[in-house]
Amino acid sequence: MAEPSAPVAVDPETLGFEKVRYQKDAGSGVAMVTIDRPAVLNAFDFQTLRELGRAFEDASWDDAMAVVVVRGAGDRAFCTGADLDEQAAMGATSGQYWRWMGAFIEMHDRLRNIGKPTIARVNGICVGGGNELQIACDLSVMVDDAYIRHVGPEHGSVPAGGATQWLPILVGDRRAREILLLCEPIRPLQALEWGLVNRVVPRADLDESVAMLAASLRAKLPEALRYTKTQLNWWRDMAWSQTVSHARDWLAVHSTADETREAVAAFHEKRTPRYEELRRLQAGAGRVCPSCGEKGISAYATYCPGCAAELPDVFEAIP
């Protein structure tokens, strides 16, 4: 991927993207940024985040582009958040996740500060970081057979890459808590009623609806639009700037935690995480020293208090 030598827009073909499709239409003034990983439901990996950030940067520099549309390839998903296969491979050290989260934050900052209106074209399921991506856009159009969902508390993460910061602003505190704590699907009409999206349309009408919004936005003064966005972003920027660096560090440290490893393993094994076993171990009940049989050892102990033998990893101790 070529690094820019000046803040000048380039032909998308010269960027050499592999996981993002980036197209610019001079006729409509619309830049299309598409996550092109339909086989994994358009999940983010590190390279995808980097390519998205570079596409948003280029679009912000191109004065011929009036509107940016963010999409997911295929018909099944807009975006399903972090690629858990990659997350599992990063679980050995917290530093790996910290660097990954840095790319995620940079991508969000480039999108939010792009200087022109953005539209999320939600063509399918929209989960976790995918919902954080669509709410980072100014407007959102959703097909009537999709859903929005957050699953962080079920998959060993915390949705602090935009959801905990922006959902209370967008839908109110109680509804934000319902979305993030219960992890239940939010269907299109409910998403529309709650203000999570601006339009819900049949699949056959999705592109026309997005095009109509883009045309309406193009018929506005570009500098006035840019500064209107700056003012509208104030509350989001405030919440983001006060929390996301802390979230980056906490999530990085927690990426090696027992909960995270169990949740990721459960995802790959297509089973339910062993919630009660983890709670029991964290409470210090039921952990047994394999050397001397001492019971009730804390989940956080490294050595047996009875015989001083080194204890196995707590994750391995879950029955």
Side-chain angles (χ1 to χ4, degrees):
M1 186 166 57
E3 290 297 324
S5 58
V8 177
V10 299
D11 183 337
E13 293 297 321
T14 67
L15 296 172
F17 292 160
E18 297 176 350
K19 300 188 177 183
V20 166
R21 277 190 280 121
Y22 177 39
Q23 301 160 301
K24 296 191 281 191
D25 186 331
S28 65
V30 173
M32 293 279 190
V33 181
T34 306
I35 303 173
D36 194 14
R37 305 188 74 212
V40 291
L41 301 179
N42 298 318
F44 298 127
D45 64 2
F46 182 77
Q47 183 178 346
T48 304
L49 294 173
R50 297 281 285 178
E51 291 181 5
L52 284 170
R54 181 66 183 97
F56 296 148
E57 180 180 61
D58 182 83
S60 75
W61 292 345
D62 194 332
D63 290 335
M65 296 299 107
V67 180
V68 178
V69 175
V70 182
R71 308 160 24 122
D75 296 326
R76 296 178 62 199
F78 171 70
C79 175
T80 52
D83 186 326
L84 290 186
D85 288 332
E86 185 184 57
Q87 300 277 293
M90 292 192 306
T93 69
S94 63
Q96 290 175 303
Y97 189 93
W98 189 85
R99 291 188 290 273
W100 186 95
M101 190 67 181
F104 182 87
I105 293 169
E106 181 180 8
M107 178 273 291
H108 263 289
D109 287 342
R110 291 196 186 283
L111 175 60
R112 202 173 64 262
N113 298 314
I114 204 167
K116 52 196 68 180
T118 54
I119 303 171
R121 175 187 177 273
V122 183
N123 59 308
I125 60 175
C126 180
V127 177
N131 187 46
E132 290 170 332
L133 180 64
Q134 77 90 12
I135 63 178
C137 294
D138 297 303
L139 301 173
S140 182
V141 182
M142 183 180 187
V143 292
D144 61 6
D145 58 354
Y147 63 83
I148 291 171
R149 188 181 182 193
H150 276 276
V151 294
E154 293 181 343
H155 285 179
S157 185
V158 173
T164 55
Q165 294 94 340
W166 300 331
L167 276 176
I169 298 170
L170 199 64
V171 303
D173 185 81
R174 290 292 189 187
R175 287 172 173 169
R177 290 173 190 269
E178 181 173 340
I179 293 168
L180 298 179
L181 299 180
L182 295 183
C183 303
E184 295 174 346
I186 307 299
R187 299 296 174 182
L189 292 181
Q190 185 179 11
L192 181 64
E193 179 186 352
W194 285 11
L196 270 172
V197 298
N198 299 93
R199 304 276 193 279
V200 169
V201 298
R203 188 169 291 275
D205 298 337
L206 178 60
D207 287 328
E208 181 182 1
S209 182
V210 170
M212 288 177 63
L213 281 177
S216 179
L217 291 166
R218 191 185 186 192
K220 306 294 185 292
L221 298 170
E223 289 184 5
L225 270 184
R226 185 176 69 217
Y227 189 59
T228 299
K229 275 177 58 89
T230 298
Q231 290 293 320
L232 284 169
N233 281 346
W234 191 87
W235 283 108
R236 292 190 181 192
D237 288 346
M238 177 67 74
W240 180 256
S241 65
Q242 295 298 307
T243 59
V244 78
S245 293
H246 184 278
R248 181 185 185 186
D249 276 309
W250 189 90
L251 288 166
V253 171
H254 200 256
S255 69
T256 64
D258 306 319
E259 278 192 8
T260 303
R261 285 184 291 169
E262 164 62 3
V264 172
F267 173 81
H268 285 114
E269 295 165 13
K270 295 180 170 49
R271 60 173 174 81
T272 301
R274 291 169 283 193
Y275 302 117
E276 293 309 312
E277 289 86 345
L278 281 167
R279 281 195 172 90
R280 178 171 57 76
L281 288 169
Q282 288 174 356
R287 195 173 179 198
V288 179
C289 173
S291 297
C292 72
E294 178 87 11
K295 297 180 180 179
I297 302 172
S298 167
Y300 304 101
T302 303
Y303 297 96
C304 173
C307 69
E310 188 171 0
L311 295 168
D313 186 271
V314 66
F315 181 72
E316 298 172 5
I318 298 177

